[in-house]
Amino acid sequence: NAKTLILSGRNSETLEAVQDLCNEINNSTASLRPIKIHILKCDLSNAESVDKFATESLRLCENQVDVLVNNGGISSRSSFVDTTSEVDEFLMRVNFLSGAALTKRILPVMVSNNGDGGGDGRIIWISSIQGPIGTPFRTSYAASKFAVQGYCEALRSELTSSGVSVHVVSPGYIRTNLSLSAVCGDGSKYGNTYATTAKGADPDKVAVQILDSVAKGCQDFVVAASPSSRIALWIKIFSPPLLRKLLVKRFKKNLASRQ
């Protein structure tokens, strides 16, 4: 029974392609009410663009927002000493602060619509497996994803009985442009696709898994994670010293491959 879907990003051509696919679905389900599909470009690194996006979204949805998906993000590929503060701030703004700003604008409307506690408002935030585990050469990225995890954990408790639930998804490797679009320590584009990313999970299947899990009420869960990533999560809980040793070993291995 959705009325409106708003697609957002920076690439108009890609957004229009998704819009066309959505319209095909609309046309193939004639017995159902067609969903109004809008495209709103937004640059998550620009606070003014984010605020404008929130305002226009609320207008198009007539203040009837039920679901907010914070999916935008960018990764980094550099050692701590080679990463400028500007890159740290850039990743924090794109991966965390923009989503926090959108949530601040959208959440009051969601709570108002679902304030009796029986509503179905949902905030879905796509984090990363590096939200709970910080790996070498990802200090900026890990910092932004750790921020997402902590923010949502605190927010979830504040929204008890509000009719709005908070869901944090921590994906492993997915076949996307994440590594290709990553930034280096000086802000330049990384421009390479990791083999693990190229062999990662199908993004369509991951999207379905995420939506199914949210529909079942899962609030903090992992998707598309390799067996080693899942083991690492358990090691962090039961043996943090062992995890630290493994991360040091990974750092030395990666450092040797860069030299």
Side-chain angles (χ1 to χ4, degrees):
N1 295 317
K3 296 180 181 179
T4 305
L5 173 64
I6 295 178
L7 305 171
S8 184
R10 293 180 300 163
N11 189 316
S12 295
E13 184 177 343
T14 302
L15 290 172
E16 289 169 2
V18 176
Q19 185 183 42
D20 289 342
L21 288 173
C22 292
N23 281 324
E24 286 181 16
I25 297 173
N26 262 341
N27 296 332
S28 66
T29 55
S31 61
L32 301 177
R33 178 178 56 199
I35 301 174
K36 296 178 181 178
I37 303 170
H38 301 280
I39 289 177
L40 290 179
K41 288 187 65 176
C42 181
D43 181 356
L44 296 181
S45 68
N46 185 294
E48 184 178 346
S49 177
V50 172
D51 187 65
K52 182 179 179 181
F53 169 72
T55 299
E56 188 64 9
S57 295
L58 290 172
R59 184 188 70 80
L60 290 171
C61 290
E62 299 177 347
N63 287 333
Q64 293 290 322
V65 180
D66 296 305
V67 180
L68 169 64
V69 183
N70 285 321
N71 183 55
I74 191 167
S75 187
S76 60
R77 296 289 189 279
S78 57
S79 67
F80 167 76
V81 294
D82 293 329
T83 305
T84 66
S85 295
E86 287 77 14
V87 168
D88 289 335
E89 293 172 4
F90 176 65
L91 263 77
M92 192 63 73
R93 173 154 296 285
V94 172
N95 294 353
F96 169 59
L97 293 175
S98 62
L102 278 175
T103 303
K104 286 181 184 294
R105 290 292 310 279
I106 303 297
L107 181 59
V109 171
M110 298 178 73
V111 172
S112 177
N113 293 337
N114 298 276
D116 59 358
D120 200 27
R122 301 182 188 275
I123 298 171
I124 306 171
W125 207 318
I126 309 301
S127 179
S128 167
I129 199 70
Q130 293 188 46
I133 298 178
T135 58
F137 300 102
R138 303 287 192 281
T139 50
S140 300
Y141 185 66
S144 65
K145 295 302 184 178
F146 267 69
V148 167
Q149 302 277 161
Y151 186 88
C152 290
E153 185 173 303
L155 179 61
R156 184 180 294 129
S157 61
E158 291 189 27
L159 293 179
T160 301
S161 302
S162 70
V164 179
S165 56
V166 179
H167 308 263
V168 183
V169 188
S170 298
Y173 291 111
I174 306 175
R175 291 199 304 272
T176 68
N177 290 331
L178 187 68
S179 63
L180 185 67
S181 303
V183 294
C184 298
D186 59 359
S188 60
K189 191 172 181 179
Y190 181 68
N192 293 311
T193 299
Y194 271 30
T196 47
T197 300
K199 297 178 181 179
D202 182 281
D204 290 343
K205 292 181 179 179
V206 172
V208 171
Q209 183 182 354
I210 289 172
L211 294 178
D212 284 348
S213 298
V214 169
K216 294 175 182 177
C218 300
Q219 294 192 339
D220 199 339
F221 57 96
V222 175
V223 296
S226 64
S228 59
S229 295
R230 293 184 181 275
I231 291 172
L233 289 171
W234 283 107
I235 292 175
K236 180 172 183 176
I237 296 173
F238 294 106
S239 182
L242 175 58
L243 180 61
R244 287 195 291 270
K245 290 180 180 179
L246 292 173
L247 291 175
V248 169
K249 183 178 180 180
R250 177 169 177 167
F251 166 71
K252 291 180 178 179
K253 179 180 178 181
N254 289 350
L255 186 63
S257 66
R258 290 165 180 256
Q259 294 176 343

